[in-house]
């Protein structure tokens, strides 16, 4: 007997929240935690994106800036009931929106190995790498492991978030591997990130990877910022999303030469200490900032 298929729209809503010492990338979740998801109603909305924007903005109160479709995901879990199919979307909540008062979670809760601003995380070196090397018993697996996790002299590629998660799933190092098989989760993998129901952590990984990739060829970072910002805040947001440190002077030179920002003439002491100059998007560059490349790779700390 064929199972009923339920088509839902799942939103990866990303925002950057300024912490005490650095910016922290967050994702909006529902209790579970799971991604906000609604069934698609073709009678009410003409397109999938119109449907997503409508219910996200009405339910959360956030005005979305950048929105793009990711992939279609099918729930791997067996059992009875409807088969869940989700179309994932990446949506950015700009910094001028209030992020407080809702269930915003740092995405490091779900992927603790992805933030390398303080060096290679112990989760990777102490917990995951030894188990992954033991699992990689063929040349194909070893090649995938080196390329995905930047091992044995290979560079770390920040955009390969989904590829890393998929390897961990195959190796049985995330809770979803066992949940999908209705098996108890071993205690030793408790430190490999907070699990999510169905395909939601896979969708989240895809959204983070897509956002990181876009930093390399489109100034989507600007969509995360408030109306006015300092160069420190802009760099801090770039580092938060990419999970890597950037060279201060190189980053600032690239921004000033891009033609996409202009000084407001004002200064701010939002972060304490000496006042810092504020910038805004150059009015004449409104179109260019949506399509022009701003390559942050040249400012990356190797």
């Amino acid at each position: 007997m064929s199972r009923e298929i339920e088509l839902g729209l799942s939103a990866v809503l990303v925002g950057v929240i300024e912490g005490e010492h650095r910016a922290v990338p967050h994702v909006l979740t529902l209790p579970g935690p799971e991604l906000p998801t609604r069934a698609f109603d073709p009678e009410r909305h003409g397109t999938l994106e119109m449907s997503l924007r409508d219910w996200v903005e009405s339910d959360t109160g956030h005005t979305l800036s950048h929105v793009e479709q990711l992939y279609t995901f099918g729930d791997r879990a067996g059992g009875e009931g409807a088969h869940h199919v989700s179309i994932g979307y990446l949506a950015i909540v700009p910094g001028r929106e209030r992020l407080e008062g809702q269930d915003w979670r740092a995405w490091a809760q779900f992927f603790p190995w992805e933030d390398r601003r303080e060096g290679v995380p112990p989760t990777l070196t102490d917990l995951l790498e030894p188990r992954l090397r033991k699992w990689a018993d063929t040349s194909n697996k070893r090649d995938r492991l080196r390329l995905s996790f930047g091992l044995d002299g290979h560079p770390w590629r920040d955009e390969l978030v989904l590829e890393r998660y998929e390897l961990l799933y195959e190796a049985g190092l995330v809770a979803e591997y066992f949940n999908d098989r209705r098996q108890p989760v071993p205690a030793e993998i408790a430190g490999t990130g907070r699990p999510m129901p169905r395909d939601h952590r896979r969708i989240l990984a895809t959204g983070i990877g897509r956002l990181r990739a876009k930093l390399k060829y489109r100034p989507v970072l600007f969509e995360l910022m408030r109306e006015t910002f300092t160069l420190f805040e802009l760099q801090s947001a770039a580092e938060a999303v990419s999970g890597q440190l950037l060279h201060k002077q190189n980053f600032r030179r690239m921004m000033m030469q891009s033609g996409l920002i202009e000084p407001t003439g004002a200064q701010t002491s939002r972060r304490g200490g000496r006042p810092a100059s504020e910038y805004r998007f150059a009015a004449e560059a409104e179109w260019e900032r949506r399509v022009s490349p701003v390559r942050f790779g040249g400012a990356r700390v190797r």
Side-chain angles (χ1 to χ4, degrees):
M1 179 181 296
S2 60
R3 296 170 62 186
E4 179 184 354
I5 296 178
E6 290 186 355
L7 177 61
L9 306 179
S10 296
V12 178
L13 270 65
V14 174
V16 172
I17 299 177
E18 283 290 335
E20 184 177 353
H21 302 292
R22 59 176 48 179
V24 181
H26 282 66
V27 60
L28 183 63
T29 66
L30 301 177
E34 59 183 290
L35 297 174
T37 302
R38 280 280 193 89
F40 172 57
D41 184 357
E43 296 184 0
R44 181 177 178 184
H45 299 98
T47 69
L48 295 168
E49 183 175 327
M50 287 174 59
S51 175
L52 180 97
R53 283 185 176 274
D54 180 66
W55 69 260
V56 168
E57 294 184 357
S58 63
D59 285 5
T60 69
H62 290 303
T63 301
L64 304 180
S65 54
H66 177 83
V67 174
E68 68 174 277
Q69 188 177 127
L70 298 171
Y71 298 111
T72 300
F73 302 82
D75 179 13
R76 296 187 181 183
E80 301 178 352
H83 184 82
H84 296 276
V85 175
S86 292
I87 300 177
Y89 277 84
L90 170 65
I92 293 177
V93 176
R96 59 182 174 272
E97 300 279 350
R98 281 186 62 85
L99 302 184
E100 298 85 355
Q102 295 175 325
D103 200 4
W104 287 88
R105 296 177 183 270
W107 71 37
Q109 291 185 23
F110 308 100
F111 306 103
W113 54 86
E114 289 292 339
D115 191 339
R116 300 167 72 90
R117 288 178 290 177
E118 295 183 358
V120 182
T123 300
L124 179 56
T125 56
D126 301 342
L127 177 61
L128 295 178
E129 185 178 340
R131 290 168 170 79
L132 284 168
R133 289 190 183 276
K134 183 177 180 180
W135 166 81
D137 55 0
T138 67
S139 59
N140 177 264
K141 288 180 179 179
R142 287 190 289 271
D143 288 343
R144 291 173 60 203
L145 175 58
R146 296 186 188 107
L147 292 172
S148 297
F149 282 89
L151 302 179
D152 301 335
H154 289 275
W156 173 267
R157 296 177 59 187
D158 58 346
E159 73 274 14
L160 299 183
V161 185
L162 177 62
E163 288 78 0
R164 287 187 281 272
Y165 175 79
E166 292 286 12
L167 267 180
L168 293 171
Y169 183 96
E170 289 181 38
L173 293 174
V174 291
E176 286 86 342
Y177 175 91
F178 299 93
N179 293 338
D180 288 351
R181 291 160 177 78
R182 303 185 183 279
Q183 298 174 1
V185 179
E188 59 266 23
I189 67 167
T192 61
R194 190 163 186 172
M196 303 181 83
R198 301 191 296 278
D199 276 337
H200 284 210
R201 192 149 54 141
R202 184 170 287 106
I203 299 172
L204 177 56
T206 305
I208 296 172
R210 180 74 62 86
L211 180 58
R212 286 178 167 181
K214 278 191 171 293
L215 289 184
K216 296 176 172 61
Y217 64 87
R218 180 177 178 269
V220 68
L221 173 69
F222 296 151
E223 309 295 340
L224 287 161
M225 306 304 296
R226 65 178 82 235
E227 293 286 357
T228 61
F229 48 84
T230 67
L231 291 179
F232 174 86
E233 290 168 343
L234 190 63
Q235 178 176 341
S236 183
E239 292 176 336
V241 171
S242 68
Q244 300 185 83
L245 295 178
L246 301 174
H247 189 277
K248 179 179 178 180
Q249 284 73 27
N250 289 350
F251 179 85
R252 294 190 173 205
R253 182 175 63 252
M254 292 165 62
M255 288 297 97
M256 297 305 296
Q257 293 175 351
S258 71
L260 299 177
I261 62 174
E262 62 185 9
T264 66
Q267 292 190 322
T268 179
S269 299
R270 275 192 298 269
R271 301 190 60 85
R274 296 176 59 184
S277 297
E278 284 196 322
Y279 292 80
R280 63 187 169 215
F281 306 121
E284 63 274 14
E286 176 66 23
W287 170 248
E288 287 84 350
R289 80 179 178 91
R290 298 184 182 277
V291 297
S292 299
V294 178
R295 305 186 187 280
F296 300 112
R300 184 167 298 154
V301 175
R302 303 294 180 182

